[in-house]
Amino acid sequence: MRLILSIGGGLLVLAIFVLAFLAWTPAPPRVDETTIRAAAAEYSARIIRDSLGVPHIYGETDADVAFGLAWAHAEDDWETIEPTLIAARGELARYEGQSAAPTDYIVQLLRIRETVAERYESDLSPQARAIVEAYADGMNAWALDNPSRIRPGVLPMTGEDVVAGFVLRTPFMYGLDADLAELFEDERQRTISIGDSDTAFQMIDGANPELGSNAFAIAPSRSEDGATRLIINSHQPFTGPVAWYEIGLHSAEGWNAAGGTFPGAPLVLHGHNADLGWAHTVNAPDLADIYVLEINPDNENQYRLDGEWMDFETGNAALRVRLFGPFSWVFNRELLWSAHGPVVRRPHGTYAIRFSGHDEVRGVEQWYRMNRASSWEEWRAAMEMRAITSLNTVYADREGNIAYLYNARMPVRAEGYDWRDYLPGDRSDLIWTEYQPFDALPLLLNPASGFVANANNTPFRATDPADDLDREDFSATFGIEHEMTNRGQRLLNLLINDPSISAADTLEYKFDLSYAPDSPVVRLVSQLLAMDLDEDRLLIEAQDVLRDWDFSTNIENRSAALGVLTAIKCIENRHDTRPFTCEPEEALRASAEDLMAHHGRLDPEWGEVNRHVRGEVDLPIDGGPDILRAIYCGCQELNEDGRFVGVAGDTYIMAVEWDADGHLESRSIHQFGSATLDGTSPHYADQADDFVAMELRDFPWMQSEVLDGAIRDYVVGGR
């Protein structure tokens, strides 16, 4: 036994030695601190944190402001920004382990870094490069002062890293991740379009409710007092890499903007400046195509195109994956590209992917121009870049203009094919190379109705029906969704029926708590109430609870818990008459049993169930799934405490107004506070009470307003 143990121990030592030799993560190169500090010395930014800790950055140049924004955001959210940066480099698995390897593979398959390197100097203006490089310099300078929070090998951050973050994230806004994921299913997921189709347009599901949003604008002609109003209400996860962070930006060169940004973004993504504002919602145009390739039976690295066998371009994805401690391993995976684009080889076929924006790096520049625009004409010129490849956008300005744009970088495709099916990969005429002009996109500018709105619904329902766009005016190859959401239906009903909309009305509609009378939720409940439940006592009592429901989601409501809990098992985020995704009776039974197990009754108040939680803050909250006051728990059953705890939905909200004289007023609220990760900060959850109460605070726009009650005022940089 001793001999066996001795040999075993020797083998173990040998194995560890070999593993260390082969897999020890090499020490990162030493950071050139002198270069980083020299770069930081070229900037000077003043950061004033207002009474809620929100940073307002001031500088002589736009680059100064970008430098200061990076510093302030790093103070509050470095632990989110850092992995965002690493992911854009395709190196996340080196730090996060195996679960992050698919992201690194996608970065290499889509050639994110190569595209940025090739186009960074040629496609981006010097002004745009200056702000992304200043932002990178600000991150680097802050990191040098906080070495204990920085992972080895991360510094230095570069302007190309910032741009790569945009290039990686932008296609996922319109669902490229879902297209890629389906190729890795066990079986092929779609048929191949054969052309000459009579049904070239295929109805698609609505946007994921956790990626939904609301936005609407009211023109002076529709407002009670001649004001122009804009509601900015994106629905995002409460935390993570696409959670909103509130900022104010002011430079002597004329960059003055306020609103929300994401970790790793050096500007306002939605918000306003002194003259205009905009709000985004997710849309779902068909911007990615999958081709089924025919492979040469005698050479697996060839595919047929126009009757000839073509060689794949080949490469190798070297994925360094952390195992434990300092140990990692490099896994190699095949990379292939065809004339169509990236290629994925699977047991059920070999597929090529072509997606809108595969050659686009200017998204950050377009947002920068939107930040700097001072009129509809300048803002429209920024949108004409179409470098932001998707997103509905609602617009309003000081002059009283309002607009709704179904923004998309839309490919020019051959008619007669159902482009939502797979495409035959052997025809080069199906490989699109151009994009539709801006004028081909759905756009409503100053409709006679005096309002525009979108809540992830079809662009053909955006205002009064008399002013709506006509679906027949747009090619079926665009793949534009034609569904409604409850939020879209409810919002339009409210606006259409109010000929004179006040500031109070605007917020009341934004925080509306009800399901529309023709919504799937109402249809589901009606079906349940019509059922003969064979004297099943539990279900009969459940019917009685639902019979009393007014389809509101206020915290005092005693039917909402059972109604919502049943509905989320049966209804996707859509507003149509398709069959439910459940057996309604079984969904009702499971929901009733869930409530009885946790609450001992079928009708607890909705506020007992629906909760807003942040650290020690634990509050009842109104609203629910696909409600204009949107709250999503990401679940279909109660948690172990018998509650829904919100994880997404209403997050950062702005209400922007220019009165009849053009005077700007802006109000906002964040779901938690400016200190996104620091649980010890007074601003970790200091906005939660007002958020739950559906109350907005005056956003301090002028510097004198920012200084009133400011908690900190400091300068960063060395100039």
mmCIF file of all heavy atoms in Angstrom, residues 32-62:
data_model
loop_
_atom_site.group_PDB
_atom_site.id
_atom_site.type_symbol
_atom_site.label_atom_id
_atom_site.label_comp_id
_atom_site.label_asym_id
_atom_site.label_seq_id
_atom_site.Cartn_x
_atom_site.Cartn_y
_atom_site.Cartn_z
ATOM 1 N N ASP A 32 3.114 50.156 -18.909
ATOM 2 C CA ASP A 32 3.961 51.339 -19.037
ATOM 3 C C ASP A 32 3.261 52.508 -18.341
ATOM 4 O O ASP A 32 2.516 53.270 -18.961
ATOM 5 C CB ASP A 32 4.199 51.648 -20.518
ATOM 6 C CG ASP A 32 5.192 52.776 -20.718
ATOM 7 O OD1 ASP A 32 5.512 53.483 -19.731
ATOM 8 O OD2 ASP A 32 5.633 52.970 -21.859
ATOM 9 N N GLU A 33 3.505 52.633 -17.044
ATOM 10 C CA GLU A 33 2.825 53.658 -16.265
ATOM 11 C C GLU A 33 3.194 55.057 -16.728
ATOM 12 O O GLU A 33 2.366 55.973 -16.710
ATOM 13 C CB GLU A 33 3.160 53.490 -14.783
ATOM 14 C CG GLU A 33 2.651 52.190 -14.185
ATOM 15 C CD GLU A 33 2.860 52.141 -12.674
ATOM 16 O OE1 GLU A 33 3.150 53.218 -12.092
ATOM 17 O OE2 GLU A 33 2.725 51.055 -12.090
ATOM 18 N N THR A 34 4.418 55.238 -17.163
ATOM 19 C CA THR A 34 4.865 56.568 -17.598
ATOM 20 C C THR A 34 4.044 57.051 -18.783
ATOM 21 O O THR A 34 3.595 58.213 -18.827
ATOM 22 C CB THR A 34 6.354 56.541 -17.970
ATOM 23 O OG1 THR A 34 7.112 56.109 -16.835
ATOM 24 C CG2 THR A 34 6.820 57.915 -18.419
ATOM 25 N N THR A 35 3.795 56.155 -19.741
ATOM 26 C CA THR A 35 3.016 56.517 -20.927
ATOM 27 C C THR A 35 1.578 56.849 -20.551
ATOM 28 O O THR A 35 0.986 57.816 -21.059
ATOM 29 C CB THR A 35 3.049 55.376 -21.953
ATOM 30 O OG1 THR A 35 4.401 55.141 -22.344
ATOM 31 C CG2 THR A 35 2.218 55.714 -23.176
ATOM 32 N N ILE A 36 1.002 56.047 -19.664
ATOM 33 C CA ILE A 36 -0.383 56.283 -19.254
ATOM 34 C C ILE A 36 -0.513 57.626 -18.541
ATOM 35 O O ILE A 36 -1.433 58.413 -18.805
ATOM 36 C CB ILE A 36 -0.881 55.134 -18.359
ATOM 37 C CG1 ILE A 36 -1.058 53.857 -19.200
ATOM 38 C CG2 ILE A 36 -2.186 55.504 -17.659
ATOM 39 C CD1 ILE A 36 -1.458 52.640 -18.399
ATOM 40 N N ARG A 37 0.421 57.913 -17.649
ATOM 41 C CA ARG A 37 0.325 59.170 -16.903
ATOM 42 C C ARG A 37 0.618 60.367 -17.811
ATOM 43 O O ARG A 37 0.038 61.445 -17.639
ATOM 44 C CB ARG A 37 1.265 59.145 -15.707
ATOM 45 C CG ARG A 37 0.882 58.074 -14.674
ATOM 46 C CD ARG A 37 1.481 58.336 -13.321
ATOM 47 N NE ARG A 37 1.192 57.236 -12.393
ATOM 48 C CZ ARG A 37 0.047 57.065 -11.756
ATOM 49 N NH1 ARG A 37 -0.937 57.952 -11.958
ATOM 50 N NH2 ARG A 37 -0.136 56.050 -10.930
ATOM 51 N N ALA A 38 1.477 60.180 -18.777
ATOM 52 C CA ALA A 38 1.749 61.266 -19.724
ATOM 53 C C ALA A 38 0.505 61.570 -20.554
ATOM 54 O O ALA A 38 0.193 62.736 -20.833
ATOM 55 C CB ALA A 38 2.920 60.890 -20.633
ATOM 56 N N ALA A 39 -0.219 60.509 -20.951
ATOM 57 C CA ALA A 39 -1.456 60.711 -21.708
ATOM 58 C C ALA A 39 -2.488 61.435 -20.849
ATOM 59 O O ALA A 39 -3.166 62.368 -21.308
ATOM 60 C CB ALA A 39 -2.001 59.369 -22.187
ATOM 61 N N ALA A 40 -2.630 61.025 -19.587
ATOM 62 C CA ALA A 40 -3.613 61.642 -18.698
ATOM 63 C C ALA A 40 -3.304 63.112 -18.455
ATOM 64 O O ALA A 40 -4.220 63.926 -18.230
ATOM 65 C CB ALA A 40 -3.659 60.889 -17.368
ATOM 66 N N ALA A 41 -2.033 63.469 -18.503
ATOM 67 C CA ALA A 41 -1.636 64.851 -18.247
ATOM 68 C C ALA A 41 -2.131 65.814 -19.324
ATOM 69 O O ALA A 41 -2.114 67.034 -19.131
ATOM 70 C CB ALA A 41 -0.113 64.944 -18.132
ATOM 71 N N GLU A 42 -2.586 65.273 -20.458
ATOM 72 C CA GLU A 42 -3.068 66.114 -21.557
ATOM 73 C C GLU A 42 -4.520 66.532 -21.379
ATOM 74 O O GLU A 42 -5.050 67.297 -22.191
ATOM 75 C CB GLU A 42 -2.911 65.369 -22.888
ATOM 76 C CG GLU A 42 -1.473 65.043 -23.248
ATOM 77 C CD GLU A 42 -0.630 66.293 -23.390
ATOM 78 O OE1 GLU A 42 -1.106 67.245 -24.053
ATOM 79 O OE2 GLU A 42 0.474 66.345 -22.814
ATOM 80 N N TYR A 43 -5.193 66.034 -20.348
ATOM 81 C CA TYR A 43 -6.615 66.315 -20.151
ATOM 82 C C TYR A 43 -6.834 67.032 -18.820
ATOM 83 O O TYR A 43 -6.017 66.940 -17.898
ATOM 84 C CB TYR A 43 -7.439 65.016 -20.123
ATOM 85 C CG TYR A 43 -7.254 64.126 -21.312
ATOM 86 C CD1 TYR A 43 -6.378 63.032 -21.262
ATOM 87 C CD2 TYR A 43 -7.955 64.345 -22.493
ATOM 88 C CE1 TYR A 43 -6.207 62.200 -22.350
ATOM 89 C CE2 TYR A 43 -7.799 63.514 -23.590
ATOM 90 C CZ TYR A 43 -6.917 62.439 -23.514
ATOM 91 O OH TYR A 43 -6.745 61.608 -24.589
ATOM 92 N N SER A 44 -7.972 67.701 -18.739
ATOM 93 C CA SER A 44 -8.414 68.256 -17.467
ATOM 94 C C SER A 44 -9.938 68.248 -17.458
ATOM 95 O O SER A 44 -10.575 68.870 -18.324
ATOM 96 C CB SER A 44 -7.901 69.680 -17.278
ATOM 97 O OG SER A 44 -8.351 70.206 -16.048
ATOM 98 N N ALA A 45 -10.521 67.525 -16.513
ATOM 99 C CA ALA A 45 -11.980 67.430 -16.418
ATOM 100 C C ALA A 45 -12.411 67.707 -14.986
ATOM 101 O O ALA A 45 -11.819 67.190 -14.033
ATOM 102 C CB ALA A 45 -12.454 66.049 -16.848
ATOM 103 N N ARG A 46 -13.441 68.513 -14.856
ATOM 104 C CA ARG A 46 -14.035 68.784 -13.544
ATOM 105 C C ARG A 46 -15.259 67.883 -13.387
ATOM 106 O O ARG A 46 -16.157 67.895 -14.237
ATOM 107 C CB ARG A 46 -14.432 70.241 -13.433
ATOM 108 C CG ARG A 46 -15.042 70.630 -12.083
ATOM 109 C CD ARG A 46 -15.471 72.089 -12.091
ATOM 110 N NE ARG A 46 -16.021 72.498 -10.797
ATOM 111 C CZ ARG A 46 -16.588 73.686 -10.576
ATOM 112 N NH1 ARG A 46 -16.661 74.581 -11.574
ATOM 113 N NH2 ARG A 46 -17.075 73.987 -9.376
ATOM 114 N N ILE A 47 -15.307 67.120 -12.312
ATOM 115 C CA ILE A 47 -16.431 66.238 -12.029
ATOM 116 C C ILE A 47 -17.161 66.782 -10.810
ATOM 117 O O ILE A 47 -16.581 66.902 -9.729
ATOM 118 C CB ILE A 47 -15.964 64.793 -11.758
ATOM 119 C CG1 ILE A 47 -15.178 64.249 -12.947
ATOM 120 C CG2 ILE A 47 -17.168 63.893 -11.452
ATOM 121 C CD1 ILE A 47 -14.516 62.901 -12.686
ATOM 122 N N ILE A 48 -18.420 67.132 -11.006
ATOM 123 C CA ILE A 48 -19.259 67.572 -9.892
ATOM 124 C C ILE A 48 -20.341 66.508 -9.706
ATOM 125 O O ILE A 48 -21.111 66.231 -10.630
ATOM 126 C CB ILE A 48 -19.911 68.939 -10.152
ATOM 127 C CG1 ILE A 48 -18.858 69.982 -10.535
ATOM 128 C CG2 ILE A 48 -20.698 69.396 -8.926
ATOM 129 C CD1 ILE A 48 -19.456 71.320 -10.946
ATOM 130 N N ARG A 49 -20.377 65.933 -8.536
ATOM 131 C CA ARG A 49 -21.424 64.956 -8.233
ATOM 132 C C ARG A 49 -22.558 65.672 -7.497
ATOM 133 O O ARG A 49 -22.338 66.265 -6.441
ATOM 134 C CB ARG A 49 -20.861 63.798 -7.408
ATOM 135 C CG ARG A 49 -19.912 62.906 -8.231
ATOM 136 C CD ARG A 49 -19.527 61.653 -7.491
ATOM 137 N NE ARG A 49 -18.695 60.776 -8.294
ATOM 138 C CZ ARG A 49 -19.144 59.775 -9.059
ATOM 139 N NH1 ARG A 49 -20.455 59.538 -9.107
ATOM 140 N NH2 ARG A 49 -18.312 59.024 -9.739
ATOM 141 N N ASP A 50 -23.741 65.603 -8.101
ATOM 142 C CA ASP A 50 -24.873 66.334 -7.535
ATOM 143 C C ASP A 50 -25.374 65.676 -6.255
ATOM 144 O O ASP A 50 -24.747 64.750 -5.723
ATOM 145 C CB ASP A 50 -25.978 66.503 -8.578
ATOM 146 C CG ASP A 50 -26.648 65.192 -8.996
ATOM 147 O OD1 ASP A 50 -26.615 64.207 -8.226
ATOM 148 O OD2 ASP A 50 -27.224 65.149 -10.107
ATOM 149 N N SER A 51 -26.485 66.125 -5.741
ATOM 150 C CA SER A 51 -26.972 65.657 -4.445
ATOM 151 C C SER A 51 -27.270 64.166 -4.421
ATOM 152 O O SER A 51 -27.304 63.557 -3.341
ATOM 153 C CB SER A 51 -28.229 66.435 -4.048
ATOM 154 O OG SER A 51 -29.257 66.248 -5.027
ATOM 155 N N LEU A 52 -27.462 63.548 -5.593
ATOM 156 C CA LEU A 52 -27.691 62.101 -5.675
ATOM 157 C C LEU A 52 -26.456 61.353 -6.162
ATOM 158 O O LEU A 52 -26.541 60.169 -6.491
ATOM 159 C CB LEU A 52 -28.880 61.808 -6.591
ATOM 160 C CG LEU A 52 -30.250 62.263 -6.070
ATOM 161 C CD1 LEU A 52 -31.342 61.944 -7.078
ATOM 162 C CD2 LEU A 52 -30.564 61.622 -4.721
ATOM 163 N N GLY A 53 -25.329 62.037 -6.219
ATOM 164 C CA GLY A 53 -24.093 61.378 -6.624
ATOM 165 C C GLY A 53 -23.915 61.233 -8.119
ATOM 166 O O GLY A 53 -22.932 60.644 -8.574
ATOM 167 N N VAL A 54 -24.853 61.755 -8.917
ATOM 168 C CA VAL A 54 -24.758 61.644 -10.376
ATOM 169 C C VAL A 54 -23.631 62.542 -10.865
ATOM 170 O O VAL A 54 -23.567 63.728 -10.496
ATOM 171 C CB VAL A 54 -26.090 62.045 -11.031
ATOM 172 C CG1 VAL A 54 -25.953 62.103 -12.551
ATOM 173 C CG2 VAL A 54 -27.195 61.072 -10.622
ATOM 174 N N PRO A 55 -22.721 62.020 -11.704
ATOM 175 C CA PRO A 55 -21.595 62.834 -12.153
ATOM 176 C C PRO A 55 -21.967 63.763 -13.314
ATOM 177 O O PRO A 55 -22.598 63.346 -14.283
ATOM 178 C CB PRO A 55 -20.575 61.783 -12.610
ATOM 179 C CG PRO A 55 -21.407 60.623 -13.051
ATOM 180 C CD PRO A 55 -22.607 60.616 -12.156
ATOM 181 N N HIS A 56 -21.572 64.999 -13.189
ATOM 182 C CA HIS A 56 -21.690 65.995 -14.261
ATOM 183 C C HIS A 56 -20.265 66.404 -14.594
ATOM 184 O O HIS A 56 -19.536 66.891 -13.726
ATOM 185 C CB HIS A 56 -22.520 67.185 -13.802
ATOM 186 C CG HIS A 56 -23.908 66.827 -13.375
ATOM 187 N ND1 HIS A 56 -25.021 67.097 -14.144
ATOM 188 C CD2 HIS A 56 -24.360 66.180 -12.256
ATOM 189 C CE1 HIS A 56 -26.101 66.649 -13.512
ATOM 190 N NE2 HIS A 56 -25.723 66.091 -12.372
ATOM 191 N N ILE A 57 -19.874 66.200 -15.839
ATOM 192 C CA ILE A 57 -18.475 66.380 -16.222
ATOM 193 C C ILE A 57 -18.337 67.634 -17.082
ATOM 194 O O ILE A 57 -19.103 67.838 -18.037
ATOM 195 C CB ILE A 57 -17.942 65.140 -16.967
ATOM 196 C CG1 ILE A 57 -17.933 63.923 -16.033
ATOM 197 C CG2 ILE A 57 -16.521 65.377 -17.455
ATOM 198 C CD1 ILE A 57 -19.140 63.061 -16.146
ATOM 199 N N TYR A 58 -17.343 68.455 -16.765
ATOM 200 C CA TYR A 58 -17.087 69.706 -17.465
ATOM 201 C C TYR A 58 -15.646 69.709 -17.965
ATOM 202 O O TYR A 58 -14.730 69.260 -17.269
ATOM 203 C CB TYR A 58 -17.311 70.898 -16.533
ATOM 204 C CG TYR A 58 -18.726 70.997 -16.010
ATOM 205 C CD1 TYR A 58 -19.110 70.266 -14.887
ATOM 206 C CD2 TYR A 58 -19.673 71.789 -16.650
ATOM 207 C CE1 TYR A 58 -20.412 70.335 -14.405
ATOM 208 C CE2 TYR A 58 -20.975 71.864 -16.170
ATOM 209 C CZ TYR A 58 -21.346 71.137 -15.059
ATOM 210 O OH TYR A 58 -22.628 71.206 -14.598
ATOM 211 N N GLY A 59 -15.454 70.238 -19.177
ATOM 212 C CA GLY A 59 -14.115 70.336 -19.726
ATOM 213 C C GLY A 59 -14.043 71.367 -20.830
ATOM 214 O O GLY A 59 -15.069 71.746 -21.415
ATOM 215 N N GLU A 60 -12.839 71.805 -21.135
ATOM 216 C CA GLU A 60 -12.657 72.744 -22.237
ATOM 217 C C GLU A 60 -12.965 72.082 -23.571
ATOM 218 O O GLU A 60 -13.564 72.682 -24.452
ATOM 219 C CB GLU A 60 -11.228 73.285 -22.227
ATOM 220 C CG GLU A 60 -10.945 74.286 -21.129
ATOM 221 C CD GLU A 60 -11.796 75.538 -21.271
ATOM 222 O OE1 GLU A 60 -11.899 76.065 -22.405
ATOM 223 O OE2 GLU A 60 -12.382 75.963 -20.267
ATOM 224 N N THR A 61 -12.553 70.824 -23.715
ATOM 225 C CA THR A 61 -12.746 70.113 -24.982
ATOM 226 C C THR A 61 -13.654 68.907 -24.768
ATOM 227 O O THR A 61 -13.854 68.434 -23.645
ATOM 228 C CB THR A 61 -11.403 69.623 -25.542
ATOM 229 O OG1 THR A 61 -10.886 68.593 -24.675
ATOM 230 C CG2 THR A 61 -10.398 70.761 -25.652
ATOM 231 N N ASP A 62 -14.178 68.396 -25.874
ATOM 232 C CA ASP A 62 -14.974 67.171 -25.799
ATOM 233 C C ASP A 62 -14.131 66.022 -25.266
ATOM 234 O O ASP A 62 -14.628 65.163 -24.518
ATOM 235 C CB ASP A 62 -15.523 66.808 -27.185
ATOM 236 C CG ASP A 62 -16.587 67.790 -27.666
ATOM 237 O OD1 ASP A 62 -16.896 68.749 -26.931
ATOM 238 O OD2 ASP A 62 -17.119 67.582 -28.776
#
